[in-house]
Amino acid sequence: MSSVEEFRAEIRGWLKTHLSGSFAALKGRGGPGREHEAFAERLAWERHMAAHGWTCVGWPKEYGGRGATIEEQIAFHEEYALADAPARVNHIGEQLLGPTLIDHGTEEQKARFLPPVRAVEELWCQGYSEPGAGSDLAAVRTRAVREDDAWVVTGQKIWTSLAHEAQWCFVLARTDPGSRRHAGLSYLLVPLDRPGVEIRPIVQLTGTSEFNEVFFDGARTDAANVVGAPGDGWRIAMATLGYERGVSTLGQQVGFRRELDALVALARRNGAAADPDIRDRLTRAWAGLEALRAGALRGTDPSAAKLYWSHWHRDLGELALEVCGPAATLAAAAPYELDDWQRLFLFSRADTVYAGSSEIQRNIIAERVLGLPKEPRP
């Protein structure tokens, strides 16, 4: 048995043993559009994982991880999804902030922030998008001014996932008042439990609120809480986005497979599969998911991967309502009780917008991958 197979067997066995008892009820809970489900219990589950060494498996051992290889990390995420384990609450800290600090942070920042992330004692959110700078991240207007031993942050962030549950936010802010676009930005670590921070949940199409507006009105963070040099924030922010589209997406694809298999089974039960068009679309969805997995294993360009999976998943949501038929347009009960297919359809509308809109991903692919002329800008 290879080391990867041994690693896969180890995590599979651990999940079978520990995702039981009081934790068994968490199977399938949480995830996009459902982050409100059993949040406290999922947090307890993830701290249980941390106590047994199953958080941050890809981090180097010197920072509390297992030093897992890429192949082992793939195995971990796939087995976690196959076990129908609950959606992770610490993804942003573990998969985004942690690798960013490991590669770009000071030793003092690593010592302060990495242990609480590994132990799931501090949760993080991402302060990038703004009302006037969503996909055009270089247009951020949130500013930070250095005052003695602190950065003073003023501005607004939006679509901030799980900010209402987080204790910290990594914020892209303009620290050079005369700068434009990518220059003069800094990557700051800002506590959310200080004066000058207000968090307002946004009610989504699903009726839930996992996205938020975050307002900074003179919020302060220690001067040492800047990752990289002041003004070098764009480079650090792009590094974080690279980690965001890493191996954990393979676990996401296992979830996609489960949704597709359930939809095929539904189409067979309710007779929708007798429609040649439905059969063709289900087959294309299967083929598309196979291509998505093959691309992930080969290391597809992150922008191309994001563009592909988001449209695949959005199309699956549309297909789900076609399979369900006209009744899918009605809520299951008042005032707004949705079934899983309705929730999939509604939330997947956001897939092509968050984490980089499709329009921007196409520009990145055209300009940086294919070398085409840049889009004209005023």
Side-chain angles (χ1 to χ4, degrees), residues 26-48:
L26 296 179
K27 288 186 177 182
R29 304 299 295 276
R34 300 167 56 193
E35 291 292 0
H36 62 290
E37 294 180 346
F39 191 90
E41 293 82 358
R42 287 160 51 213
L43 178 61
W45 159 252
E46 201 150 340
R47 287 174 174 167
H48 181 75

Side-chain angles (χ1 to χ4, degrees), residues 41 55 73 99 124 150 156 163 195 209 238 247 284 304 325 329 335:
E41 293 82 358
T55 55
Q73 293 177 59
W124 286 78
Q156 178 187 359
S209 299
M238 292 303 100
V247 296
R284 289 176 181 274
T329 60

Side-chain angles (χ1 to χ4, degrees), residues 230-241:
D232 194 28
W234 183 259
R235 182 177 67 90
I236 308 299
M238 292 303 100
T240 300
L241 289 178

Side-chain angles (χ1 to χ4, degrees), residues 42-378:
R42 287 160 51 213
L43 178 61
W45 159 252
E46 201 150 340
R47 287 174 174 167
H48 181 75
M49 292 177 61
H52 289 80
W54 284 112
T55 55
C56 308
V57 296
W59 289 13
K61 292 181 179 180
E62 59 265 35
Y63 298 118
R66 285 178 171 251
T69 64
I70 293 295
E71 291 77 11
E72 289 171 338
Q73 293 177 59
I74 291 171
F76 171 84
H77 290 293
E78 289 185 336
E79 291 299 326
Y80 191 88
L82 287 167
D84 204 20
R88 303 287 296 276
V89 303
N90 194 33
H91 169 79
I92 295 175
E94 177 176 328
Q95 300 292 337
L96 279 67
L97 177 80
T100 301
L101 290 183
I102 289 170
D103 288 346
H104 303 283
T106 65
E107 292 305 314
E108 292 77 14
Q109 289 170 343
K110 296 173 189 178
R112 164 61 185 88
F113 293 110
L114 293 181
V117 171
R118 195 203 66 79
V120 202
E121 294 173 350
E122 292 178 343
L123 302 182
W124 286 78
C125 60
Q126 181 182 45
Y128 278 14
S129 295
E130 299 181 3
S135 295
D136 186 10
L137 187 58
V140 297
R141 291 185 292 179
T142 294
R143 64 187 187 277
V145 178
R146 178 72 181 269
E147 291 185 3
D148 300 326
D149 59 351
W151 291 99
V152 181
V153 184
T154 301
Q156 178 187 359
K157 297 295 180 178
I158 198 167
W159 312 124
T160 311
S161 299
L162 297 179
H164 60 298
E165 302 287 358
Q167 290 79 48
W168 285 83
C169 182
F170 49 92
V171 175
L172 191 63
R174 194 164 298 281
T175 51
D176 181 352
S179 63
R180 295 184 68 253
R181 304 296 299 168
H182 309 88
L185 300 171
S186 296
Y187 190 107
L188 304 176
L189 312 179
V190 181
L192 298 179
D193 60 352
R194 303 277 180 88
V197 180
E198 181 183 357
I199 298 171
R200 301 179 190 171
I202 300 171
V203 178
Q204 300 150 195
L205 284 172
T206 53
T208 56
S209 299
E210 61 199 59
F211 299 136
N212 302 265
E213 294 178 282
V214 182
F215 296 86
F216 299 100
D217 184 10
R220 302 176 73 89
T221 188
D222 292 345
N225 289 343
V226 55
V227 181
D232 194 28
W234 183 259
R235 182 177 67 90
I236 308 299
M238 292 303 100
T240 300
L241 289 178
Y243 306 130
E244 183 177 18
R245 298 163 188 166
V247 296
S248 63
T249 58
L250 285 162
Q252 175 193 56
Q253 291 172 31
V254 175
F256 290 171
R257 172 73 64 188
R258 187 179 294 113
E259 291 174 339
L260 177 58
D261 289 346
L263 188 59
V264 170
L266 174 63
R268 287 171 173 164
R269 289 196 308 272
N270 71 4
D275 184 329
D277 179 62
I278 294 292
R279 287 202 309 273
D280 179 70
R281 291 169 66 184
L282 288 169
T283 302
R284 289 176 181 274
W286 177 87
L289 190 55
E290 290 295 308
L292 184 60
R293 174 175 172 76
L297 292 173
R298 291 178 56 192
T300 299
D301 174 80
S303 290
K306 199 304 178 161
L307 182 67
Y308 193 93
W309 75 251
S310 61
H311 282 261
W312 183 93
H313 199 227
R314 185 195 65 184
D315 292 346
L316 185 72
E318 294 177 351
L319 177 56
L321 290 201
E322 293 281 352
V323 170
C324 291
T329 60
L330 300 176
Y336 194 60
E337 182 180 328
L338 304 176
D339 63 25
D340 289 342
W341 301 118
Q342 292 169 324
R343 187 177 292 108
L344 168 64
F345 169 76
L346 290 172
F347 194 87
S348 65
R349 315 308 295 175
D351 286 346
T352 58
V353 179
Y354 70 72
S357 72
S358 293
E359 291 78 8
I360 295 299
Q361 300 312 311
R362 290 189 180 98
N363 281 352
I364 291 173
I365 294 167
E367 296 175 8
R368 302 181 189 175
V369 179
L370 301 179
L372 299 176
K374 290 188 176 183
E375 181 181 23
R377 292 182 173 90

